[in-house]
């Protein structure tokens, strides 16, 4: 039933997106009715998969996160609609798990996650009902909106495909402008997602325990980490900190369950969920190639740079620049939306990143994850045996 639910919900969402794009007004890119539907699609399918984990699968078949989020009883109609249509996340999300939401409604947001609400950490007392302190997030919203409104028109993304710009600008200047133009488009996402997070926090939802200093954390349903995005040194780090709750949803309903090519299947599902514009599919198809290449470089090249702090710093600088350019190159079709301008941009770059990533993925193969884990087990076993023998010797000496 959870698979049928995914197909029906995603199919209905796709039908609405196709009619909006190709029937009503092609090129209209605004906050319309399909935006809330995208969030509700995530929630409907998440509940279906979590009910399947809690009521149809054995305990030993679940990983740790699936055990934590599994729903052990069928929700009532009131609970189901409350979760899907609550005012805090109906417009822009972020998506949350059903168990987290119900625990918040019932006033026990820490119980199912085993988060203590009393005691001290490093000598500091913990509060039973910590304040969300949304002022900082609202300040981030204000700054992001100000930057977007003031800088976005200075560096329009469309200039990357302008004929005069391509003909008269040196390639290194085109690379710099590409980075700056894509950098100025991110603040609008920072504004929307941070505001949505602040709305949930203001209602009391989003508490995620305490940090090592005893300070409350309000990042349970946060959708992005701005500094980690701007300083990302790998494609994976960027994706892990961008649209976080959607990434969790994709991982739970697709990546962890797809038996064949989970990376490609996850990117394709993400493209279908985003909408019917061809640029989305170009972006996520490019993302598959870049992800495979980045994984190959990390597993084969990175170990040679971990010998000293200087080499590690050089590696981080190089990978930061490469990651930022690769991200900008990948998401240009996501902003341009249409096939013609997107392919024109890629042709102006001679598809260089596509070709380079394909060659890297072929030349630097990466073993499947289950084989890497199997190779690590013999290395772990002797250490466990030596620990047991040492403990036995200590007991005999005692």
């Amino acid at each position: 039933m959870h698979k049928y639910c995914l197909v029906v919900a995603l199919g209905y969402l796709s039908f609405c997106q196709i009619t909006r794009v190709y029937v009503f007004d092609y090129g209209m890119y605004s906050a319309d009715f399909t935006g809330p539907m995208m969030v509700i699609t995530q929630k409907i399918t998440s509940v279906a998969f979590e009910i399947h984990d809690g009521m149809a699968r054995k305990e030993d078949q679940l990983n740790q996160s699936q055990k934590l989020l599994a729903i052990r009883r069928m929700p009532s109609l009131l609970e189901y609609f409350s979760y899907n249509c609550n005012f805090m996340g109906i417009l822009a999300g972020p998506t949350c798990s059903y168990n987290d939401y119900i625990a918040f409604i019932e006033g026990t947001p820490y119980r199912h996650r085993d988060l203590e609400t009393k005691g001290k950490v490093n000598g500091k007392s913990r509060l039973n009902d910590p304040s969300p302190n949304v002022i900082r997030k609202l300040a981030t919203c204000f700054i992001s909106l100000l930057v977007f409104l003031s800088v976005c028109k200075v560096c329009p993304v469309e200039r990357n495909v302008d004929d005069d710009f391509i003909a008269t600008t040196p390639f290194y200047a085109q690379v710099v402008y590409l980075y700056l133009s894509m950098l100025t488009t991110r603040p609008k996402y920072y504004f929307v997602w941070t505001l949505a997070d602040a709305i949930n926090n203001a209602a009391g939802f989003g508490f995620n325990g305490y940090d090592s200093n005893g300070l409350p954390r309000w990042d349970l349903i946060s959708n992005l980490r701005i500094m980690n995005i701007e300083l990302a040194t790998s494609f994976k780090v960027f994706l892990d900190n961008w649209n976080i709750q959607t990434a969790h949803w994709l991982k739970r309903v697709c990546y962890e369950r797809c038996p064949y090519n989970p990376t490609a299947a996850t990117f394709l599902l993400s493209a279908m969920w985003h909408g019917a514009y061809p640029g989305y599919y170009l972006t996520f198809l490019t993302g598959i190639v870049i992800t495979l290449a980045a994984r190959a470089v990390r597993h084969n090249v990175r170990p040679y740079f971990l010998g000293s702090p200087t080499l590690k710093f050089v590696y981080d600088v190089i990978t930061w620049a490469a990651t930022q350019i690769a991200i900008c190159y990948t998401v240009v079709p996501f902003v341009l939306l249409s096939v013609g301008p997107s392919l024109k941009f890629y042709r102006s770059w001679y598809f260089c990143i596509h070709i380079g990533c394909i060659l890297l993925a072929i030349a630097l193969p990466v073993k499947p994850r289950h084989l890497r884990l199997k190779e690590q087990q013999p290395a772990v076993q002797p250490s466990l045996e030596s620990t047991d023998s040492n403990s036995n010797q200590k007991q005999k000496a005692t």
Side-chain angles (χ1 to χ4, degrees):
M1 185 57 66
H2 63 293
K3 296 178 182 178
Y4 299 147
C5 181
L6 176 63
V7 172
V8 171
L10 196 64
Y12 183 71
L13 174 65
S14 299
F15 172 77
C16 293
Q17 290 172 331
I18 290 172
T19 56
R20 181 182 71 84
V21 172
Y22 295 102
V23 177
F24 293 112
D25 187 3
Y26 185 83
M28 180 183 66
Y29 189 71
S30 59
D32 64 327
F33 70 97
T34 60
M37 284 180 61
M38 292 168 69
V39 178
I40 294 178
T41 298
Q42 288 184 342
K43 292 183 177 182
I44 290 174
T45 53
S46 294
V47 169
F49 278 82
E50 289 163 6
I51 290 176
H52 172 72
D53 291 340
M55 303 179 66
R57 297 178 67 187
K58 297 180 180 179
E59 193 74 15
D60 57 356
Q61 296 176 336
L62 306 177
N63 60 34
Q64 190 61 35
S65 64
Q66 290 171 347
K67 291 178 182 178
L68 184 67
L69 302 178
I71 300 174
R72 307 295 178 181
R73 66 172 181 83
M74 190 63 68
S76 67
L77 199 60
L78 177 60
E79 292 171 331
Y80 184 73
F81 282 120
S82 175
Y83 168 70
N84 281 311
C85 302
N86 70 84
F87 76 94
M88 301 175 296
I90 189 64
L91 290 180
T95 302
C96 61
S97 72
Y98 175 83
N99 283 342
D100 286 332
Y101 176 76
I102 293 300
F104 158 70
I105 291 297
E106 294 177 349
T108 57
Y110 332 113
R111 186 175 300 168
H112 74 292
R113 287 184 174 268
D114 295 327
L115 300 176
E116 297 180 2
T117 60
K118 297 181 181 180
K120 295 182 178 181
V121 174
N122 294 341
K124 296 184 178 181
S125 299
R126 290 177 170 180
L127 300 176
N128 291 335
D129 189 15
S131 171
N133 192 17
V134 298
I135 300 300
R136 182 176 180 180
K137 293 183 178 180
L138 291 178
T140 302
C141 292
F142 175 77
I143 295 173
S144 300
L145 184 61
L146 185 64
V147 171
F148 175 72
L149 294 177
S150 60
V151 180
C152 182
K153 294 183 179 180
V154 178
C155 299
V157 178
E158 291 75 14
R159 193 180 178 191
N160 287 286
V161 294
D162 182 72
D163 292 330
D164 294 336
F165 176 79
I166 295 174
T168 59
T169 307
F171 184 72
Y172 72 88
Q174 293 184 35
V175 174
V176 173
Y177 183 83
L178 172 67
Y179 172 71
L180 293 177
S181 62
M182 299 309 300
L183 183 66
T184 58
T185 63
R186 294 177 197 163
K188 68 178 180 181
Y189 298 101
Y190 296 165
F191 165 74
V192 172
W193 288 335
T194 305
L195 180 60
D197 192 17
I199 290 171
N200 282 270
N201 293 166
F205 186 34
F207 178 64
N208 197 24
Y210 296 84
D211 60 17
S212 58
N213 296 320
L215 300 176
R217 297 168 50 199
W218 286 88
D219 58 352
L220 178 64
I221 55 173
S222 295
N223 229 359
L224 78 167
R225 303 181 187 96
I226 296 177
M227 292 305 299
N228 292 351
I229 290 171
E230 300 299 340
L231 301 178
T233 57
S234 71
F235 204 77
K236 181 181 184 301
V237 171
F238 188 98
L239 296 180
D240 287 344
N241 294 281
W242 175 271
N243 205 354
I244 298 172
Q245 301 307 319
T246 296
H248 289 339
W249 172 71
L250 292 169
K251 179 181 178 182
R252 292 165 186 164
V253 303
C254 183
Y255 187 83
E256 294 179 341
R257 304 172 193 267
C258 184
Y260 305 106
N261 297 322
T263 299
T266 302
F267 274 102
L268 290 177
L269 174 60
S270 181
M272 291 182 63
W273 176 79
H274 274 88
Y277 287 109
Y280 295 158
Y281 289 85
L282 287 176
T283 289
F284 289 107
L285 289 174
T286 304
I288 295 173
V289 178
I290 293 181
T291 299
L292 296 176
R295 186 180 300 166
V297 171
R298 180 175 179 83
H299 283 276
N300 292 276
V301 178
R302 187 172 182 268
Y304 295 102
F305 289 86
L306 300 180
S308 68
T310 303
L311 289 176
K312 179 65 167 54
F313 177 76
V314 172
Y315 177 83
D316 289 341
V317 172
I318 295 174
T319 52
W320 172 83
T323 298
Q324 297 301 323
I325 297 303
I327 288 291
C328 296
Y329 179 89
T330 302
V331 300
V332 165
F334 195 94
V335 178
L336 297 179
L337 300 178
S338 301
V339 175
S342 301
L343 293 180
K344 182 179 179 181
F345 168 76
Y346 283 150
R347 282 197 299 268
S348 69
W349 281 54
Y350 302 101
F351 293 90
C352 60
I353 294 184
H354 284 90
I355 297 172
C357 289
I358 292 174
L359 294 176
L360 285 173
I362 296 174
L364 303 174
V366 178
K367 293 182 179 180
R369 185 171 182 270
H370 67 278
L371 294 180
R372 297 198 305 268
L373 294 176
K374 186 179 294 185
E375 290 179 353
Q376 295 174 1
Q377 288 178 355
V380 175
Q381 189 65 26
S383 63
L384 295 176
E385 293 177 353
S386 61
T387 303
D388 294 338
S389 61
N390 292 335
S391 62
N392 291 335
Q393 291 176 0
K394 289 182 180 180
Q395 290 177 358
K396 291 180 181 179
T398 303

